Amino acid sequence: LSNGLCSLNPNVERLCMVCDMRISAEGEIQEYRFYPSVMHSHARLTYNQVAAMLDDPKGKEAKEFAEVLPHIRNLHALFQTLLQAREKRGAIDFESVETQMIFNEQGKIERIVPVVRNDAHRLIEECMLAANACTAEFLQANKHPSLYRVHEGPTPEKLENVREFLKEFGLQLGGGDEPQAGDYSKLLGQVKGRPDAPLLQTVMLRSLRQARYCPDNTGHFGLGYEAYTHFTSPIRRYPDLLVHRAIKAVLAGKQYKPKEKWQVLGDHCSMTERRADDATRDVEAWLKCFYMREHLGSVFDGTISSVTGFGIFVSLDDIYTEGLVHVSELGQDYFHFDAAKHQMLGERTGTRYRLGDRVRVKVVRVDMESTKIDFTLVEARDEEAAEGGNEGGKKKAEGKKKQDGKKNSRVW
């Protein structure tokens, strides 16, 4: 469907549902309407092509697609306006790194690289957000049942925990007992550029609840919308297809009645979304394990990405792969797990391993069946110099542990 009948191939007519919006110079949606139509695409453009056209209006891509360039530049101007409205609305914008795997001709992973989001990606994203918000308002105004994309604020317990954590850094999350997205966004702006910004952002993100599908509209906390739903991807996301059916029913003066209750559909779609995400993570984990088999014994620098009662997870620099340092490998001490502070603290030595800390680790085990990678800590002062960046077989010396309660040299 996505490559054929439903694909927006250039110079081919396709049936579609239009969300036609009138947006002011301040980025406010003044009016909108929905109607079925026929779309005729004038060009198939990739994100990179559009980004290149915007960066260089006289470049190769701009000349190749000269007919559509004015429209793209107008759309980019709209994007900048919508972006300002988003900031004014106080929507949270967490920075995250997505990765993709580059395979060689033999089908083996050559390298793992970050996916770079450019203005073309963000342009489409802002247009989709606007259409989704209009859709939710349209269905609500017409009192037609549907599935909303809801995202609730932090629970009282998580709110207390994140505020206690932030106090250690001299920071405060505003908003009292019911902080809004703008309070989170303001704090993110304050910590941006700090060395510990990734740590603080991660803790703030984990204080929020997971978005889900529900027939009861409770708003979208993270995006700062009173009503929000998913409309833009009906050929790959079932909730969007249900929303399209509801819109068509409203336009026809009828009501769409699915075979299941809307609450059942919402619970099911939320479950299958999580299941799909888990499946994606499982495949990526297996591929990364396959890749890391070539690096047994190698030493890498990384960042503690998660802290649990049984150890610390470390995300490796540059190759974006995660593994576990078991609690038994943390040192000759009894370590207490503090969930609120996201840390492991040594009872006797005071050695602390906290979310966001920098560590150096050695790859000691890769289990393809369980897709688990095990690390051991390597102390910087004991590590032999690495030739060529990360050659295997480095030996961890049995250096004498510090017992004076200061921060261990393994973490910097």
Side-chain angles (χ1 to χ4, degrees):
L1 290 177
S2 61
N3 288 329
L5 186 63
C6 297
S7 177
L8 298 179
N9 293 322
N11 304 312
V12 176
E13 293 185 346
R14 291 284 186 258
L15 298 176
C16 66
M17 177 63 70
V18 174
C19 176
D20 196 344
M21 295 170 276
R22 185 182 297 278
I23 302 174
S24 73
E26 290 74 35
E28 294 181 0
I29 300 173
Q30 296 178 325
E31 59 180 327
Y32 61 84
R33 61 187 179 125
F34 288 87
Y35 53 87
S37 186
V38 176
M39 178 175 178
H40 186 93
S41 176
H42 290 272
R44 182 189 181 278
L45 302 172
T46 66
Y47 288 110
N48 289 339
Q49 284 175 325
V50 172
M53 294 164 68
L54 293 171
D55 290 339
D56 185 4
K58 296 182 180 180
K60 175 186 173 184
E61 288 81 4
K63 291 178 180 178
E64 183 180 354
F65 299 102
E67 290 184 3
V68 298
L69 180 59
H71 302 291
I72 289 175
R73 297 184 72 175
N74 284 339
L75 195 59
H76 187 250
L78 170 64
F79 152 69
Q80 293 173 320
T81 300
L82 290 174
L83 198 60
Q84 291 174 358
R86 178 191 181 117
E87 292 172 358
K88 185 178 179 181
R89 196 171 68 243
I92 305 173
D93 191 9
F94 287 111
E95 295 180 2
S96 60
V97 178
E98 295 184 10
T99 60
Q100 68 179 53
M101 300 173 196
I102 307 300
F103 294 84
N104 60 23
E105 294 180 356
Q106 288 73 42
K108 288 188 176 182
I109 300 174
E110 193 172 90
R111 63 188 187 280
I112 302 172
V113 298
V115 176
V116 179
R117 290 175 74 246
N118 53 43
D119 271 6
H121 292 92
R122 301 173 71 200
L123 183 156
I124 294 297
E125 182 181 283
E126 286 301 324
C127 290
M128 291 194 296
L129 290 175
N132 288 340
C134 289
T135 304
E137 187 178 302
F138 175 78
L139 292 171
Q140 199 170 35
N142 285 280
K143 298 180 180 179
H144 194 292
S146 185
L147 287 184
Y148 294 92
R149 182 65 169 177
V150 301
H151 182 230
E152 296 161 301
T155 62
E157 181 184 1
K158 286 190 173 184
L159 182 58
E160 183 181 354
N161 286 342
V162 73
R163 284 201 162 123
E164 284 298 317
F165 183 84
L166 290 169
K167 279 182 183 178
E168 292 189 28
F169 298 83
L171 297 169
Q172 185 176 0
L173 176 65
D177 294 335
E178 295 185 3
Q180 301 301 309
D183 298 308
Y184 273 79
S185 187
K186 184 179 179 180
L187 185 54
L188 282 172
Q190 291 175 6
V191 304
K192 191 173 183 179
R194 289 173 47 146
D196 54 9
L199 160 66
L200 297 169
Q201 176 181 277
T202 300
V203 173
M204 291 167 66
L205 176 61
R206 292 180 181 178
S207 72
L208 301 177
R209 286 184 259 190
Q210 190 173 28
R212 57 192 175 89
Y213 295 104
C214 182
D216 300 320
N217 175 39
T218 56
H220 198 292
F221 180 86
L223 294 173
Y225 283 127
E226 293 183 4
Y228 188 73
T229 191
H230 278 166
F231 158 78
T232 57
S233 305
I235 66 172
R236 68 175 181 85
R237 213 163 44 192
Y238 193 66
D240 301 50
L241 182 61
L242 293 172
V243 165
H244 274 246
R245 290 171 179 169
I247 292 172
K248 288 179 180 178
V250 170
L251 295 177
K254 301 177 182 178
Q255 187 174 80
Y256 170 60
K257 294 182 179 180
K259 293 181 180 180
E260 294 284 355
K261 292 182 179 179
W262 285 101
Q263 184 63 55
V264 173
L265 288 170
D267 293 341
H268 179 77
C269 289
S270 298
M271 180 275 294
T272 52
E273 178 189 36
R274 290 191 294 271
R275 186 176 66 185
D277 288 341
D278 289 342
T280 301
R281 281 191 289 269
D282 286 346
V283 172
E284 288 182 351
W286 190 92
L287 288 169
K288 288 180 178 181
C289 281
F290 188 80
Y291 176 72
M292 290 304 293
R293 287 197 309 179
E294 304 291 327
H295 297 279
L296 278 170
S298 295
V299 172
F300 297 91
D301 290 327
T303 302
I304 297 178
S305 56
S306 182
V307 183
T308 69
F310 53 85
I312 57 174
F313 284 92
V314 178
S315 178
L316 304 183
D317 294 351
D318 301 325
I319 59 175
Y320 309 96
T321 300
E322 194 175 67
L324 173 71
V325 178
H326 193 266
V327 65
S328 61
E329 297 288 341
L330 294 181
Q332 301 298 317
D333 200 348
Y334 184 81
F335 284 85
H336 294 276
F337 170 54
D338 189 330
K341 295 183 178 179
H342 301 271
Q343 70 178 24
M344 296 283 274
L345 185 65
E347 184 178 89
R348 182 164 45 85
T349 63
T351 301
R352 179 177 68 174
Y353 298 99
R354 186 171 63 182
L355 183 71
D357 280 343
R358 299 285 294 158
V359 293
R360 180 162 292 177
V361 296
K362 181 168 74 171
V363 184
V364 295
R365 183 169 175 267
V366 177
D367 189 332
M368 295 299 298
E369 289 188 11
S370 61
T371 62
K372 298 291 190 296
I373 302 171
D374 291 332
F375 300 146
T376 57
L377 289 169
V378 175
E379 297 196 29
R381 66 177 182 270
D382 296 330
E383 184 199 349
E384 296 178 356
E387 295 180 6
N390 273 317
E391 293 297 325
K394 301 179 185 69
K395 186 177 181 182
K396 179 181 177 182
E398 295 296 329
K400 185 180 179 181
K401 303 282 190 296
K402 289 186 178 181
Q403 304 297 332
D404 59 2
K406 295 181 181 178
K407 191 174 182 183
N408 195 293
S409 64
R410 288 182 288 209
V411 184
W412 61 91

